[in-house]
Coordinates of all heavy atoms in Angstrom, one line a residue:
G1 N -0.8 -12.1 -10.7 CA -1.8 -11.4 -11.3 C -2.0 -10.0 -10.9 O -1.4 -9.6 -9.9
H2 N -2.9 -9.3 -11.5 CA -3.2 -7.9 -11.2 C -4.1 -7.9 -10.0 O -5.0 -8.7 -9.8 CB -3.8 -7.3 -12.4 CG -4.0 -5.8 -12.2 ND1 -5.2 -5.3 -11.7 CD2 -3.2 -4.7 -12.4 CE1 -5.1 -4.0 -11.6 NE2 -3.9 -3.6 -12.0
G3 N -3.9 -6.9 -9.2 CA -4.8 -6.7 -8.0 C -4.6 -5.3 -7.4 O -3.9 -4.5 -8.0
Y4 N -5.1 -5.2 -6.3 CA -5.1 -3.9 -5.6 C -4.5 -4.1 -4.2 O -4.7 -5.1 -3.5 CB -6.5 -3.3 -5.4 CG -7.1 -2.9 -6.7 CD1 -7.8 -3.8 -7.5 CD2 -6.9 -1.6 -7.2 CE1 -8.3 -3.4 -8.7 CE2 -7.4 -1.2 -8.5 CZ -8.1 -2.1 -9.2 OH -8.6 -1.8 -10.4
V5 N -3.7 -3.1 -3.7 CA -3.2 -3.1 -2.4 C -4.1 -2.1 -1.6 O -4.2 -1.0 -2.0 CB -1.7 -2.7 -2.3 CG1 -1.3 -2.5 -0.9 CG2 -0.9 -3.7 -3.0
I6 N -4.6 -2.6 -0.5 CA -5.5 -1.7 0.4 C -4.7 -1.3 1.6 O -4.1 -2.2 2.3 CB -6.7 -2.5 0.8 CG1 -7.4 -3.2 -0.4 CG2 -7.7 -1.6 1.5 CD1 -7.8 -2.3 -1.5
F7 N -4.6 -0.1 1.9 CA -3.9 0.4 3.1 C -4.9 0.5 4.2 O -5.8 1.3 4.3 CB -3.4 1.8 2.8 CG -2.4 1.8 1.6 CD1 -2.8 2.4 0.4 CD2 -1.2 1.3 1.7 CE1 -1.9 2.4 -0.7 CE2 -0.3 1.3 0.7 CZ -0.7 1.8 -0.5
M8 N -4.8 -0.6 5.1 CA -5.8 -0.7 6.2 C -5.5 0.3 7.3 O -4.3 0.7 7.5 CB -5.8 -2.1 6.7 CG -6.1 -3.2 5.7 SD -7.6 -2.9 4.8 CE -8.8 -3.2 6.1
N9 N -6.5 0.7 8.0 CA -6.3 1.8 9.0 C -6.4 1.3 10.4 O -6.6 2.1 11.3 CB -7.4 2.9 8.8 CG -8.8 2.4 9.0 OD1 -9.0 1.2 9.1 ND2 -9.7 3.3 9.0
D10 N -6.1 0.0 10.6 CA -6.2 -0.5 12.0 C -5.2 0.1 12.9 O -5.5 0.4 14.1 CB -6.0 -2.1 11.9 CG -7.1 -2.8 11.2 OD1 -8.1 -2.2 11.0 OD2 -6.8 -3.9 10.8
S11 N -4.0 0.3 12.4 CA -2.9 0.8 13.3 C -2.8 2.3 13.4 O -2.2 2.8 14.3 CB -1.6 0.3 12.8 OG -1.3 0.8 11.5
K12 N -3.5 3.0 12.5 CA -3.5 4.5 12.4 C -2.0 5.0 12.2 O -1.8 6.1 12.4 CB -4.0 5.1 13.7 CG -5.5 4.7 14.0 CD -6.4 5.2 13.0 CE -7.9 4.9 13.4 NZ -8.8 5.2 12.3
E13 N -1.2 4.1 11.7 CA 0.2 4.6 11.4 C 0.3 5.1 10.0 O -0.5 4.8 9.2 CB 1.2 3.4 11.6 CG 1.3 2.9 13.0 CD 2.2 1.7 13.1 OE1 2.8 1.4 12.0 OE2 2.3 1.1 14.1
T14 N 1.3 5.9 9.8 CA 1.6 6.4 8.4 C 2.3 5.3 7.7 O 3.3 4.7 8.2 CB 2.4 7.7 8.5 OG1 1.7 8.7 9.2 CG2 2.8 8.2 7.1
I15 N 1.9 5.1 6.4 CA 2.6 4.1 5.6 C 3.6 4.9 4.7 O 3.2 5.9 4.1 CB 1.6 3.3 4.8 CG1 0.8 2.4 5.7 CG2 2.4 2.4 3.7 CD1 -0.3 1.6 5.0
V16 N 4.8 4.4 4.6 CA 5.8 5.1 3.8 C 6.0 4.3 2.4 O 6.2 3.1 2.4 CB 7.2 5.1 4.5 CG1 8.2 5.8 3.6 CG2 7.0 5.9 5.8
L17 N 5.9 5.1 1.3 CA 6.1 4.6 0.0 C 7.6 4.8 -0.3 O 8.1 6.0 -0.2 CB 5.2 5.3 -1.0 CG 5.3 4.8 -2.5 CD1 4.8 3.4 -2.6 CD2 4.6 5.8 -3.4
R18 N 8.4 3.8 -0.6 CA 9.8 3.9 -0.8 C 10.2 3.6 -2.2 O 9.5 2.8 -2.9 CB 10.5 3.0 0.2 CG 10.3 3.4 1.7 CD 11.2 2.7 2.6 NE 11.0 3.1 4.0 CZ 11.5 4.2 4.6 NH1 12.3 5.0 3.9 NH2 11.2 4.5 5.8
K19 N 11.3 4.1 -2.6 CA 11.9 4.0 -4.0 C 12.2 2.5 -4.2 O 12.1 2.0 -5.3 CB 13.0 4.9 -4.2 CG 13.5 5.0 -5.6 CD 14.5 6.1 -5.7 CE 14.9 6.3 -7.2 NZ 15.9 7.4 -7.4
E20 N 12.8 1.8 -3.2 CA 13.2 0.4 -3.4 C 12.6 -0.4 -2.2 O 12.3 0.2 -1.2 CB 14.8 0.3 -3.3 CG 15.5 1.1 -4.4 CD 15.2 0.6 -5.8 OE1 14.9 -0.6 -5.9 OE2 15.3 1.3 -6.8
P21 N 12.6 -1.7 -2.3 CA 12.0 -2.5 -1.2 C 13.0 -2.7 -0.1 O 13.5 -3.8 0.2 CB 11.8 -3.9 -1.9 CG 12.7 -3.9 -3.0 CD 12.9 -2.5 -3.5
S22 N 13.2 -1.6 0.6 CA 14.2 -1.6 1.8 C 13.8 -0.5 2.7 O 13.4 0.6 2.3 CB 15.6 -1.4 1.3 OG 16.4 -1.1 2.4
D23 N 13.9 -0.7 4.0 CA 13.7 0.3 5.1 C 14.6 1.5 4.9 O 14.3 2.6 5.4 CB 13.8 -0.3 6.5 CG 12.6 -1.2 6.8 OD1 11.4 -0.8 6.4 OD2 12.8 -2.2 7.5
R24 N 15.8 1.2 4.3 CA 16.8 2.3 4.2 C 16.6 3.1 2.9 O 17.4 4.0 2.6 CB 18.2 1.7 4.2 CG 18.5 1.0 5.6 CD 19.8 0.4 5.6 NE 20.1 -0.2 6.9 CZ 21.1 -1.0 7.2 NH1 22.0 -1.3 6.2 NH2 21.3 -1.5 8.4
S25 N 15.7 2.6 2.0 CA 15.5 3.3 0.7 C 14.9 4.7 0.9 O 14.2 5.0 1.9 CB 14.6 2.4 -0.1 OG 14.3 3.1 -1.4
Q26 N 15.1 5.5 -0.1 CA 14.6 6.9 -0.1 C 13.0 6.9 0.0 O 12.4 6.1 -0.7 CB 15.0 7.6 -1.4 CG 14.5 9.0 -1.6 CD 14.9 9.6 -2.9 OE1 15.8 9.1 -3.6 NE2 14.2 10.6 -3.3
E27 N 12.5 7.7 0.8 CA 11.1 7.9 1.0 C 10.5 8.7 -0.2 O 11.0 9.8 -0.5 CB 10.8 8.6 2.3 CG 9.3 8.7 2.6 CD 9.1 9.4 4.0 OE1 9.8 9.0 4.9 OE2 8.2 10.2 4.0
I28 N 9.5 8.2 -0.9 CA 8.8 8.9 -1.9 C 7.7 9.8 -1.4 O 7.6 11.0 -1.7 CB 8.3 8.0 -3.0 CG1 9.4 7.2 -3.7 CG2 7.5 8.8 -4.1 CD1 9.0 6.1 -4.6
I29 N 6.8 9.2 -0.5 CA 5.7 9.9 0.1 C 5.2 9.1 1.3 O 5.4 7.9 1.4 CB 4.6 10.0 -1.0 CG1 3.5 10.9 -0.4 CG2 4.0 8.7 -1.3 CD1 2.4 11.3 -1.5
S30 N 4.7 9.8 2.2 CA 4.0 9.2 3.4 C 2.5 9.2 3.2 O 1.9 10.2 2.8 CB 4.3 10.0 4.7 OG 5.7 9.9 5.0
I31 N 1.9 8.0 3.3 CA 0.5 7.9 3.1 C -0.2 7.9 4.4 O 0.0 7.0 5.2 CB 0.2 6.6 2.3 CG1 1.0 6.5 1.0 CG2 -1.3 6.4 2.1 CD1 1.1 5.2 0.3
K32 N -1.1 8.9 4.6 CA -1.8 9.0 5.9 C -3.3 8.6 5.6 O -3.8 8.8 4.5 CB -1.7 10.4 6.5 CG -0.3 10.7 6.9 CD -0.2 12.1 7.5 CE 1.3 12.4 7.8 NZ 1.4 13.8 8.3
Y33 N -3.9 8.1 6.6 CA -5.3 7.6 6.5 C -6.2 8.8 6.5 O -6.0 9.8 7.3 CB -5.6 6.6 7.6 CG -4.8 5.4 7.6 CD1 -3.9 5.2 8.6 CD2 -4.8 4.5 6.5 CE1 -3.1 4.0 8.6 CE2 -4.0 3.4 6.5 CZ -3.1 3.2 7.5 OH -2.3 2.1 7.5
E34 N -7.3 8.7 5.8 CA -8.3 9.7 5.8 C -9.6 9.1 6.4 O -10.3 8.3 5.7 CB -8.6 10.2 4.4 CG -7.4 10.9 3.7 CD -7.0 12.2 4.4 OE1 -7.9 12.8 5.0 OE2 -5.9 12.6 4.3
G35 N -9.9 9.3 7.6 CA -11.1 8.8 8.2 C -11.0 7.2 8.3 O -9.9 6.7 8.6
D36 N -12.0 6.6 8.1 CA -12.1 5.1 8.2 C -12.0 4.4 6.9 O -12.2 3.2 6.8 CB -13.3 4.6 8.9 CG -13.3 5.1 10.4 OD1 -12.2 5.2 11.0 OD2 -14.4 5.4 10.9
I37 N -11.8 5.1 5.8 CA -11.8 4.5 4.4 C -10.4 4.3 4.0 O -9.6 5.3 3.9 CB -12.6 5.4 3.4 CG1 -14.0 5.6 3.9 CG2 -12.5 4.8 2.0 CD1 -14.8 6.6 3.1
P38 N -10.0 3.1 3.7 CA -8.6 2.8 3.3 C -8.3 3.4 1.9 O -9.2 3.4 1.1 CB -8.5 1.3 3.3 CG -9.6 0.8 4.1 CD -10.7 1.8 3.9
E39 N -7.1 3.7 1.6 CA -6.7 4.1 0.3 C -6.4 2.8 -0.4 O -6.1 1.8 0.2 CB -5.4 4.9 0.4 CG -5.6 6.2 1.1 CD -6.2 7.3 0.3 OE1 -6.5 7.1 -0.9 OE2 -6.3 8.4 0.8
E40 N -6.4 2.8 -1.7 CA -6.0 1.6 -2.5 C -5.1 2.0 -3.7 O -5.1 3.2 -4.1 CB -7.3 0.9 -3.0 CG -8.0 1.7 -4.1 CD -9.2 0.9 -4.7 OE1 -9.7 0.1 -4.0 OE2 -9.5 1.1 -5.8
S41 N -4.3 1.1 -4.1 CA -3.4 1.3 -5.2 C -3.3 0.1 -6.0 O -3.5 -1.0 -5.6 CB -2.0 1.6 -4.6 OG -1.9 2.9 -4.0
N42 N -2.9 0.3 -7.3 CA -2.7 -0.9 -8.2 C -1.4 -1.6 -7.7 O -0.4 -1.0 -7.5 CB -2.5 -0.4 -9.6 CG -3.8 0.1 -10.2 OD1 -4.9 -0.5 -10.0 ND2 -3.7 1.0 -11.1
C43 N -1.5 -2.9 -7.6 CA -0.4 -3.7 -7.2 C 0.4 -4.1 -8.5 O -0.2 -4.7 -9.4 CB -0.9 -5.0 -6.4 SG 0.5 -6.0 -5.9
L44 N 1.6 -3.8 -8.5 CA 2.5 -4.1 -9.7 C 3.4 -5.3 -9.5 O 4.0 -5.8 -10.5 CB 3.3 -2.8 -10.0 CG 2.5 -1.5 -10.2 CD1 3.5 -0.4 -10.5 CD2 1.5 -1.6 -11.4
G45 N 3.5 -5.8 -8.3 CA 4.3 -6.9 -8.0 C 4.7 -7.1 -6.6 O 4.2 -6.3 -5.7
I46 N 5.4 -8.1 -6.3 CA 5.8 -8.4 -4.9 C 7.3 -8.6 -4.9 O 7.9 -9.3 -5.7 CB 5.1 -9.7 -4.4 CG1 3.6 -9.5 -4.4 CG2 5.6 -10.1 -3.0 CD1 2.8 -10.8 -4.0
S47 N 8.0 -8.1 -3.8 CA 9.4 -8.3 -3.7 C 9.6 -8.5 -2.2 O 9.7 -7.6 -1.4 CB 10.1 -7.0 -4.1 OG 11.5 -7.2 -3.9
G48 N 9.7 -9.8 -1.8 CA 9.9 -10.2 -0.4 C 8.8 -9.7 0.4 O 7.6 -10.1 0.2
K49 N 9.1 -8.9 1.4 CA 8.0 -8.4 2.3 C 7.4 -7.1 1.9 O 6.7 -6.4 2.6 CB 8.7 -8.2 3.7 CG 9.2 -9.4 4.4 CD 9.8 -9.1 5.7 CE 10.4 -10.4 6.4 NZ 11.0 -10.1 7.7
W50 N 7.6 -6.8 0.6 CA 7.1 -5.5 0.0 C 6.2 -5.7 -1.2 O 6.4 -6.6 -2.0 CB 8.3 -4.7 -0.4 CG 9.2 -4.3 0.7 CD1 10.2 -5.2 1.2 CD2 9.4 -3.1 1.4 NE1 10.9 -4.5 2.2 CE2 10.4 -3.3 2.4 CE3 8.7 -1.9 1.3 CZ2 10.8 -2.3 3.2 CZ3 9.1 -0.9 2.2 CH2 10.1 -1.1 3.1
Y51 N 5.2 -4.8 -1.3 CA 4.4 -4.7 -2.5 C 4.9 -3.6 -3.4 O 5.2 -2.5 -2.8 CB 2.9 -4.5 -2.2 CG 2.1 -5.6 -1.7 CD1 1.4 -5.6 -0.5 CD2 2.0 -6.8 -2.5 CE1 0.7 -6.6 0.0 CE2 1.3 -7.9 -2.0 CZ 0.6 -7.8 -0.8 OH -0.1 -8.8 -0.3
K52 N 5.0 -3.8 -4.7 CA 5.3 -2.7 -5.6 C 3.9 -2.1 -6.0 O 3.1 -2.8 -6.5 CB 6.1 -3.1 -6.8 CG 6.5 -2.0 -7.7 CD 7.4 -2.4 -8.8 CE 7.8 -1.3 -9.7 NZ 8.7 -1.7 -10.8
V53 N 3.7 -0.8 -5.8 CA 2.4 -0.2 -6.1 C 2.5 1.1 -6.9 O 3.6 1.7 -6.9 CB 1.6 0.1 -4.8 CG1 1.4 -1.2 -4.0 CG2 2.4 1.1 -3.9
D54 N 1.4 1.4 -7.5 CA 1.3 2.7 -8.2 C 0.3 3.5 -7.4 O -0.9 3.2 -7.4 CB 0.8 2.5 -9.6 CG 0.6 3.8 -10.4 OD1 0.6 4.9 -9.7 OD2 0.5 3.8 -11.6
F55 N 0.8 4.4 -6.6 CA -0.1 5.2 -5.7 C -0.2 6.6 -6.3 O 0.7 7.4 -6.2 CB 0.5 5.3 -4.3 CG -0.3 6.0 -3.3 CD1 -1.4 5.4 -2.7 CD2 -0.1 7.3 -3.0 CE1 -2.3 6.1 -1.8 CE2 -0.9 8.0 -2.1 CZ -2.0 7.4 -1.5
N56 N -1.4 6.8 -6.9 CA -1.6 8.1 -7.6 C -0.5 8.6 -8.5 O -0.1 9.7 -8.5 CB -1.9 9.2 -6.5 CG -3.2 9.0 -5.7 OD1 -4.1 8.2 -6.2 ND2 -3.2 9.5 -4.5
G57 N 0.0 7.7 -9.3 CA 1.0 8.0 -10.2 C 2.5 7.9 -9.7 O 3.4 8.0 -10.5
K58 N 2.6 7.7 -8.4 CA 3.9 7.5 -7.8 C 4.2 6.0 -7.6 O 3.4 5.4 -6.9 CB 4.0 8.3 -6.5 CG 3.9 9.8 -6.6 CD 4.0 10.4 -5.3 CE 4.0 11.9 -5.4 NZ 2.8 12.5 -5.9
V59 N 5.2 5.5 -8.3 CA 5.5 4.0 -8.2 C 6.6 3.8 -7.1 O 7.6 4.5 -7.1 CB 5.9 3.5 -9.5 CG1 6.3 2.0 -9.4 CG2 4.8 3.6 -10.5
G60 N 6.3 2.9 -6.2 CA 7.3 2.6 -5.2 C 6.8 1.3 -4.4 O 6.0 0.6 -4.9
Y61 N 7.4 1.1 -3.2 CA 7.2 -0.1 -2.4 C 6.6 0.3 -1.1 O 7.0 1.2 -0.4 CB 8.5 -0.8 -2.3 CG 9.1 -1.4 -3.6 CD1 9.9 -0.6 -4.4 CD2 8.8 -2.7 -3.9 CE1 10.4 -1.1 -5.6 CE2 9.4 -3.2 -5.1 CZ 10.1 -2.4 -5.9 OH 10.6 -2.9 -7.1
V62 N 5.7 -0.6 -0.6 CA 5.1 -0.5 0.7 C 5.2 -1.8 1.4 O 5.2 -2.9 0.7 CB 3.7 0.0 0.7 CG1 3.6 1.4 0.2 CG2 2.8 -0.9 -0.1
K63 N 5.4 -1.8 2.7 CA 5.5 -3.1 3.4 C 4.2 -3.9 3.4 O 3.1 -3.3 3.5 CB 5.9 -2.8 4.9 CG 7.3 -2.6 5.1 CD 7.7 -2.7 6.6 CE 9.2 -2.7 6.8 NZ 9.5 -2.7 8.2
R64 N 4.3 -5.2 3.1 CA 3.1 -6.0 3.0 C 2.3 -6.1 4.3 O 1.1 -6.3 4.3 CB 3.5 -7.4 2.5 CG 4.0 -7.4 1.1 CD 4.5 -8.7 0.7 NE 3.5 -9.8 0.7 CZ 3.7 -11.1 0.4 NH1 5.0 -11.5 0.1 NH2 2.8 -11.9 0.5
N65 N 3.0 -6.0 5.5 CA 2.3 -6.2 6.7 C 1.4 -5.0 7.1 O 0.7 -5.1 8.0 CB 3.3 -6.5 7.9 CG 4.3 -5.4 8.2 OD1 4.2 -4.4 7.5 ND2 5.1 -5.6 9.1
A66 N 1.5 -3.9 6.4 CA 0.7 -2.8 6.6 C -0.5 -2.7 5.6 O -1.2 -1.7 5.6 CB 1.6 -1.5 6.5
T67 N -0.6 -3.7 4.8 CA -1.6 -3.7 3.7 C -2.3 -5.0 3.6 O -2.0 -6.0 4.2 CB -0.9 -3.3 2.4 OG1 0.0 -4.4 2.1 CG2 -0.2 -2.0 2.4
E68 N -3.4 -5.0 2.8 CA -4.0 -6.2 2.3 C -4.1 -6.2 0.8 O -4.1 -5.1 0.2 CB -5.4 -6.3 2.9 CG -5.5 -6.6 4.4 CD -6.8 -6.9 4.9 OE1 -7.8 -7.0 4.1 OE2 -7.0 -7.1 6.2
W69 N -4.2 -7.4 0.2 CA -4.2 -7.5 -1.2 C -5.6 -8.0 -1.6 O -6.2 -8.8 -0.9 CB -3.2 -8.5 -1.7 CG -3.1 -8.5 -3.2 CD1 -2.3 -7.7 -4.0 CD2 -3.8 -9.4 -4.1 NE1 -2.5 -8.1 -5.3 CE2 -3.4 -9.1 -5.4 CE3 -4.7 -10.5 -3.8 CZ2 -3.9 -9.8 -6.5 CZ3 -5.2 -11.2 -4.9 CH2 -4.7 -10.9 -6.2
S70 N -6.1 -7.5 -2.7 CA -7.4 -7.9 -3.2 C -7.4 -8.0 -4.7 O -6.6 -7.4 -5.4 CB -8.5 -6.9 -2.8 OG -9.7 -7.2 -3.4
V71 N -8.2 -8.9 -5.2 CA -8.3 -9.2 -6.7 C -8.8 -8.0 -7.4 O -8.4 -7.6 -8.5 CB -9.1 -10.4 -7.0 CG1 -9.3 -10.6 -8.5 CG2 -8.5 -11.7 -6.4
S72 N -9.8 -7.3 -6.8 CA -10.5 -6.2 -7.5 C -10.8 -5.1 -6.5 O -11.0 -5.4 -5.3 CB -11.7 -6.6 -8.2 OG -12.8 -7.0 -7.3
S73 N -11.0 -3.9 -7.0 CA -11.4 -2.8 -6.1 C -12.7 -3.0 -5.5 O -12.9 -2.7 -4.3 CB -11.4 -1.5 -7.0 OG -11.8 -0.4 -6.2
A74 N -13.7 -3.6 -6.2 CA -15.0 -3.8 -5.7 C -15.0 -4.8 -4.6 O -15.7 -4.7 -3.6 CB -16.0 -4.2 -6.9
E75 N -14.2 -5.9 -4.8 CA -14.1 -6.9 -3.8 C -13.5 -6.4 -2.5 O -14.0 -6.7 -1.4 CB -13.2 -8.1 -4.3 CG -13.1 -9.2 -3.3 CD -12.2 -10.3 -3.8 OE1 -12.3 -10.7 -5.0 OE2 -11.3 -10.8 -3.0
A76 N -12.6 -5.5 -2.6 CA -11.9 -4.9 -1.5 C -12.9 -4.1 -0.7 O -13.0 -4.1 0.5 CB -10.8 -4.0 -1.9
A77 N -13.7 -3.3 -1.4 CA -14.8 -2.5 -0.8 C -15.8 -3.3 0.0 O -16.2 -3.0 1.1 CB -15.5 -1.6 -1.8
G78 N -16.1 -4.5 -0.6 CA -17.0 -5.4 0.0 C -16.5 -6.0 1.3 O -17.2 -6.2 2.2
Q79 N -15.2 -6.2 1.3 CA -14.6 -6.8 2.5 C -14.5 -5.8 3.7 O -14.5 -6.2 4.8 CB -13.2 -7.3 2.2 CG -13.1 -8.5 1.3 CD -11.7 -8.8 0.9 OE1 -10.8 -8.1 1.1 NE2 -11.5 -10.0 0.2
I80 N -14.5 -4.6 3.4 CA -14.3 -3.5 4.4 C -15.6 -3.3 5.1 O -15.7 -3.1 6.3 CB -13.8 -2.2 3.8 CG1 -12.4 -2.5 3.2 CG2 -13.8 -1.1 4.8 CD1 -11.9 -1.5 2.2
R81 N -16.7 -3.3 4.4 CA -18.0 -3.0 5.0 C -18.4 -4.1 6.0 O -18.1 -5.2 6.0 CB -19.1 -3.0 3.9 CG -18.9 -1.7 3.0 CD -20.0 -1.5 2.2 NE -19.7 -0.4 1.3 CZ -19.5 -0.5 0.0 NH1 -19.7 -1.7 -0.6 NH2 -19.2 0.5 -0.8

C-alpha cells in the first residue's frame, strides 16, 4: 500500500538516495537532517533492504534501516512528538 518513508535523525548520519537498490549504485542526492524534524517522502515500493521513494521529485532508493515507514504523514508526525 501507499505510505510515507520518514528519515529519522537518531544517528545524525547522511542518508544517500541511490538510482538502484544497491550500495554500489549511482548517488542521486545526499539527504541531511534539518534540526530535529525528520524529512518524509512518498514510499513507492520495497526492494529487499531498500525503500523506493519520491524525495522532492527525485525518485530513488534509500536503505530501510535508516528510515521508518508510516501509513500517513499525519500519523508519522504523531509518532515523532
Side-chain angles (χ1 to χ4, degrees):
H2 185 268
Y4 293 87
V5 172
I6 312 299
F7 302 106
M8 303 306 291
N9 62 352
D10 295 342
S11 65
K12 301 293 184 190
E13 293 177 8
T14 299
I15 294 176
V16 179
L17 182 69
R18 297 192 179 276
K19 193 171 182 179
E20 300 294 334
S22 166
D23 286 321
R24 296 178 180 172
S25 177
Q26 179 183 344
E27 181 178 320
I28 297 172
I29 190 173
S30 292
I31 303 164
K32 294 180 181 175
Y33 300 113
E34 298 294 332
D36 293 327
I37 303 170
E39 299 277 2
E40 69 178 27
S41 291
N42 289 325
C43 183
L44 306 176
I46 298 172
S47 180
K49 297 178 180 178
W50 300 77
Y51 284 124
K52 184 176 184 179
V53 299
D54 180 344
F55 184 79
N56 294 338
K58 294 178 173 67
V59 176
Y61 294 85
V62 293
K63 278 194 171 175
R64 291 173 64 183
N65 64 359
T67 62
E68 287 190 6
W69 185 87
S70 177
V71 174
S72 71
S73 180
E75 180 182 315
Q79 289 174 352
I80 292 160
R81 292 193 186 110

